[in-house]
Amino acid sequence: MLAKNIAESKYKLKSKPTEIVSPYANEPWWKEAVVYQIWPASYKDGNGDGWGDIPGIISTLDHVKSIGTTVIWLSPHYESPQKDMGYDISNYEAVDKIYGSMEDMDKLIEEVHKRGMKLICDLVVNHTSDQHAWFKESRSSRDSSKRDWYIWRDARYDAEGNRMPPTNWKSYFSGSAWTWDEKTQQYYLRLFAESQPDLNWENEETREAIYQSAVKFWLDKGVDGFRIDTAGLYSKKYPLEDAKFDPKSHTESDEFLFPELGQTLNGPRIHEFHKEMYSKVTGKYDAMTVGEVGVCSREETLKYII
């Protein structure tokens, strides 16, 4: 009997194991993706200049693949003054020289795909750098054809005649969310750094330029999608009004107050804008998009899912 039981046990060990089928087998590839973020500046220095770079990234792809990665998220690699680590983009269609060349980027896309992985990039389109050609043109004159590509407003004045920003909003970084432009005598909105003016998504021409330069350009290059930066901020609620004083989070001495979420986050046209970008650009590719939204209810979050 013992011999028979041993024989049966051996037989069972040799039997074919039950095949485990993933519940996502028939779903889009990104449903089961394992994403590995690479912050290029500090990741791998390939030429010894103290900055991480694209050739350095390429040299580690076998390791990245070996730990189970299926998607690499590359943080901003675009041309930039680097005042906010690349989140201040001066040219969407160029690679910053500290990271390498466009040829290096083409090689990275090729090598990632060669290993069966995919590559997504950061999409930063709530704002640009103040060194972007669009903003340089916008601030050149009130009559500029790109004046309305950004959000410009006249100053206010107090009872003593002191100039004041258009609203009492505080930047998410520090100080006022408005910066005075001496040449054209108006303020521009910048929810983040002074060097990061907010784009005006209400302008259809601006949106079309964003879709072509920041999105389609890279999808045509072969990237597989985007992690969308500050994806809930593009639609502002107009007219722009002062934030209300809240004794729970502010003191009487506060000069600037954070804008009410209802005026800058999950704005009235935000889902329209994302659906438009999907219908005009990303939906035409086998692309993954995942957005950074921030404070959001469950009900509001579901509206972002296309």
Side-chain angles (χ1 to χ4, degrees), residues 39-53 85 98-99:
W39 186 262
S42 59
Y43 181 71
K44 178 66 181 293
D45 181 2
N47 61 9
D49 67 354
W51 283 84
D53 50 43
M85 291 306 299
I98 63 172
Y99 300 133

Side-chain angles (χ1 to χ4, degrees), residues 210-221 226 281 285:
I210 290 168
Y211 301 155
Q212 293 300 312
S213 185
V215 185
K216 188 176 186 298
F217 176 87
W218 288 101
L219 290 173
D220 286 344
K221 277 278 184 185
F226 300 94
V281 196
Y285 299 78

Side-chain angles (χ1 to χ4, degrees), residues 146-164:
K146 288 185 172 58
R147 185 66 172 180
D148 194 44
W149 284 35
Y150 295 83
I151 301 170
W152 294 91
R153 290 293 184 273
D154 290 329
R156 296 186 299 180
Y157 293 89
D158 64 17
E160 286 74 41
N162 298 308
R163 188 184 71 232
M164 298 169 58

Side-chain angles (χ1 to χ4, degrees), residues 190-207:
R190 47 90 174 185
L191 292 181
F192 294 92
E194 183 175 333
S195 58
Q196 293 171 300
D198 279 46
L199 286 156
N200 179 18
W201 275 70
E202 297 293 320
N203 186 319
E204 183 178 1
E205 187 178 6
T206 308
R207 297 199 305 274

Side-chain angles (χ1 to χ4, degrees), residues 149-276:
W149 284 35
Y150 295 83
I151 301 170
W152 294 91
R153 290 293 184 273
D154 290 329
R156 296 186 299 180
Y157 293 89
D158 64 17
E160 286 74 41
N162 298 308
R163 188 184 71 232
M164 298 169 58
T167 69
N168 65 353
W169 296 358
K170 182 180 180 181
S171 160
Y172 286 106
F173 285 178
S174 65
S176 174
W178 298 90
T179 293
W180 177 249
D181 181 63
E182 191 65 34
K183 180 178 180 180
T184 59
Q185 295 289 293
Q186 280 190 316
Y187 284 92
Y188 61 84
L189 180 66
R190 47 90 174 185
L191 292 181
F192 294 92
E194 183 175 333
S195 58
Q196 293 171 300
D198 279 46
L199 286 156
N200 179 18
W201 275 70
E202 297 293 320
N203 186 319
E204 183 178 1
E205 187 178 6
T206 308
R207 297 199 305 274
E208 289 297 330
I210 290 168
Y211 301 155
Q212 293 300 312
S213 185
V215 185
K216 188 176 186 298
F217 176 87
W218 288 101
L219 290 173
D220 286 344
K221 277 278 184 185
V223 304
D224 301 289
F226 300 94
R227 174 266 184 186
I228 307 176
D229 186 62
T230 62
L233 293 179
Y234 308 156
S235 173
K236 278 71 172 178
K237 183 178 179 181
Y238 294 94
L240 306 180
E241 299 176 342
D242 277 345
K244 294 181 175 61
F245 179 81
D246 181 356
K248 294 180 181 179
S249 55
H250 303 121
T251 67
E252 292 290 353
S253 62
D254 287 337
E255 181 180 4
F256 301 112
L257 308 179
F258 277 116
E260 294 174 297
L261 297 181
Q263 296 191 59
T264 59
L265 183 63
N266 307 321
R269 299 186 68 189
I270 191 66
H271 304 301
E272 173 192 342
F273 293 155
H274 283 296
K275 287 176 181 177
E276 180 183 78

Side-chain angles (χ1 to χ4, degrees), residues 128-153:
T128 67
S129 165
D130 60 0
Q131 298 305 303
H132 196 292
W134 297 347
F135 187 70
K136 287 182 177 180
E137 173 60 31
S138 182
R139 79 187 310 178
S140 66
S141 165
R142 287 200 186 195
D143 298 323
S144 165
S145 60
K146 288 185 172 58
R147 185 66 172 180
D148 194 44
W149 284 35
Y150 295 83
I151 301 170
W152 294 91
R153 290 293 184 273

